[in-house]
Amino acid sequence: MSSSPIRIAIVGAGPGGLTLARLLHVAGIKTRLFEREASANARPQGGTLDLHAESGQLALARAGLTDGFLRIARYEDQGSRLYDGDGQLLLADDDMTGDRPEVDRTALRDLLLQSLPPDAVAWGHGLREVSPRDDGRYDLIFDDGREGPFDLVIGADGAWSQVRPLVSRYQPQYSGLTFIEFGIDDVDANHPALSQLVGRGKMGAESAGRSLIVQRNDNAHLRGYAIFRVPVEWAERRFDVTSPAAMRRALLGEFAGWADTLLDLFRASNDQFALRPIHALPVGHYWTNRPGITLLGDAAHLMSPFGGEGVNAAMLDAAELAGYLVGSADWQEAVRAYETGMFVRVAEPAGEAAEAAATELSHISQELTLAHHQLHMQMRAAAGHAAAR
Ligand SMILES: Cc1cc2nc3c(=O)[nH]c(=O)nc-3n(C[C@H](O)[C@H](O)[C@H](O)COP(=O)(O)OP(=O)(O)OC[C@H]3O[C@@H](n4cnc5c(N)ncnc54)[C@H](O)[C@@H]3O)c2cc1C
């Protein structure tokens, strides 16, 4: 990067923003990182993620965090099971030799936070808007003040980015799918049958216009999603997340006719429920470069969670952007090079996620899911044979 330091602001301390802050910190480049949440523990960070070797893990390796990652990675939780609504097992993949280990979101965030100086994140800074200045730089406007000026503002502020409007007119669109999230605590000790049902990894089931995904998290916790294709306001009318008993009753009603072995997942759920309407930006979302503003992660390319690429793409964005910024004498050219590469790189996974969302709960979705898993198992077996030769 050029010898006169530029002032860089990163908005959002999610996996993308934190990875970028860490990579620039390692390279000796100072940033200011602003996060809306009041503190690192203000909110549970959510479920489990599989980090892919060529993206999420690569970013952590470039950030010098592979050892820390290996301490929190759960290679033993890479299994998959598929059931039909009668509880019949359609497929069990218990192979744990893959290179997509699971990691809990909170553990990942802690790893990244601990790799930064203690005051690296300005907590409690919810960005309201980015204000362009006459000198070509930008001020950031928060609820209780203004920070700046900054030469480069990087929006890593997720789906509803406040930085995105400076470069793009697009807003995420509702995919037609709503997830109702639920959790089961201490499943191995308290619900051994459900522990067996889910296995070491995740399970899916689909029948009669409803589907279910349940993932094993660390500490024998299960996180599940009941999936519906419904108008966006339907779930808020149908479900009252403040009443756990009513939530369980409503979910059992919606899945009436499914096997008791599967419905027991709802009966065993704890009191934490959340409604998650799934939104996405258009596949191929891009913008014309605007000097001093860029985006990464969900802010740039929000996609449906099918395919599990969101976090991986966000972390690879961070690695690529940091690489260009560190390696180039012209930071504006570095940002342009990052954007051009990112637009191309992300189009394929975004397209696949959109296709998966479009076919979810369709007449062929169970067939497609099964075929996808079988193909994955065959490819792994073929790779294993090739390696053994
Ligand atoms: C139900 C569900 C399941 C998912 N499962 C997976 C999965 O299994 N695998 C996977 O790869 N991806 C999954 N995803 C997608 C994944 O969560 C995202 O792609 C990923 O978190 C994107 O990282 P990010 O850093 O870009 O954004 P985020 O994780 O959204 O982080 C953005 C950060 O910015 C902060 N912020 C937001 N607005 C402001 C503001 N105005 N001012 C300051 N700070 C702000 C937020 O508080 C947050 O800390 C899932 C998503 C959902 C909804």
Side-chain angles (χ1 to χ4, degrees):
M1 205 157 81
S2 65
S3 49
S4 57
I6 61 162
R7 295 202 59 197
I8 300 177
I10 302 170
V11 184
L18 283 171
T19 303
L20 179 65
R22 163 68 185 177
L23 284 155
L24 294 179
H25 171 70
V26 169
I29 297 174
K30 280 208 173 73
T31 58
R32 299 284 315 280
L33 173 48
F34 298 100
E35 166 57 46
R36 179 175 57 190
E37 289 173 11
S39 73
N41 306 316
R43 177 180 71 87
Q45 288 301 302
T48 186
L49 305 158
D50 53 330
L51 287 198
H52 304 172
E54 67 284 1
S55 44
Q57 291 181 49
L58 176 73
L60 290 177
R62 290 194 194 163
L65 295 175
T66 295
D67 287 350
F69 168 70
L70 291 175
R71 279 195 292 277
I72 57 172
R74 290 180 285 111
Y75 281 85
E76 67 278 16
D77 283 348
Q78 298 184 79
S80 284
R81 295 192 176 179
L82 287 179
Y83 295 89
D84 64 17
D86 296 331
Q88 294 298 318
L89 184 65
L90 304 177
L91 173 137
D93 178 2
D94 291 327
D95 186 298
M96 302 295 157
T97 60
D99 60 1
R100 296 185 163 190
E102 295 290 327
V103 60
D104 275 21
R105 229 178 243 264
T106 304
L108 178 63
R109 191 190 222 192
D110 288 348
L111 173 70
L112 289 162
L113 279 174
Q114 283 157 18
S115 75
L116 289 166
D119 58 350
V121 181
W123 299 101
H125 280 69
L127 179 72
R128 249 195 300 130
E129 69 173 282
V130 181
S131 170
R133 296 160 47 101
D134 290 342
D135 63 4
R137 295 188 288 173
Y138 299 89
D139 287 334
L140 302 185
I141 315 294
F142 299 96
D143 284 336
D144 50 5
R146 167 185 289 256
E147 298 268 355
F150 294 100
D151 301 286
L152 175 58
V153 178
I154 299 159
D157 49 345
W160 304 102
S161 171
Q162 300 297 313
V163 182
R164 190 192 301 122
L166 276 89
V167 291
S168 168
R169 290 184 297 123
Y170 286 98
Q171 287 287 318
Q173 297 294 307
Y174 177 56
S175 66
L177 298 170
T178 290
F179 288 15
I180 311 281
E181 184 180 305
F182 61 97
I184 300 173
D185 301 321
D186 216 353
V187 68
D188 298 338
N190 294 341
H191 308 283
L194 296 180
S195 170
Q196 284 291 323
L197 181 85
V198 175
R200 299 299 316 192
K202 63 176 178 301
M203 61 145 277
E206 191 179 329
S207 179
R210 300 281 181 260
S211 85
L212 196 56
I213 295 176
V214 184
Q215 297 171 312
R216 179 178 285 271
N217 293 219
D218 207 1
N219 299 315
H221 181 77
L222 297 183
R223 181 174 296 257
Y225 302 102
I227 302 178
F228 303 85
R229 183 170 293 286
V230 283
V232 69
E233 70 284 356
W234 176 86
E236 283 204 1
R237 284 204 310 259
R238 176 78 179 89
F239 293 98
D240 175 8
V241 287
T242 63
S243 169
M247 285 300 294
R248 279 187 279 273
R249 258 196 320 276
L251 283 168
L252 287 167
E254 288 297 335
F255 283 72
W258 281 46
D260 268 328
T261 46
L262 296 166
L263 295 179
D264 282 347
L265 288 160
F266 298 136
R267 296 186 181 109
S269 68
N270 64 23
D271 289 350
Q272 312 301 316
F273 293 90
L275 311 183
R276 305 220 179 274
I278 302 300
H279 290 76
L281 283 164
V283 175
H285 176 241
Y286 76 101
W287 59 90
T288 305
N289 175 265
R290 174 174 183 164
I293 301 286
T294 196
L295 307 173
L296 62 75
D298 279 5
H301 44 66
L302 178 69
M303 51 185 100
S304 88
F306 297 102
E309 286 289 344
V311 153
N312 289 286
M315 292 173 73
L316 188 54
D317 289 351
E320 298 281 292
L321 177 55
Y324 282 115
L325 285 172
V326 171
S328 169
D330 177 347
W331 65 266
Q332 296 196 2
E333 181 49 39
V335 172
R336 275 194 292 274
Y338 152 73
E339 288 175 349
T340 307
M342 181 265 289
F343 294 146
V344 174
R345 166 169 54 78
V346 162
E348 188 179 325
E352 287 172 3
E355 195 179 320
T359 53
E360 174 73 7
L361 291 172
S362 70
H363 62 294
I364 49 162
S365 52
Q366 195 166 57
E367 209 178 296
L368 289 175
T369 311
L370 199 54
H372 171 82
H373 281 274
Q374 283 164 341
L375 179 66
H376 188 68
M377 288 165 78
Q378 281 163 13
M379 283 166 56
R380 211 177 41 226
H385 287 314
R389 264 198 230 119

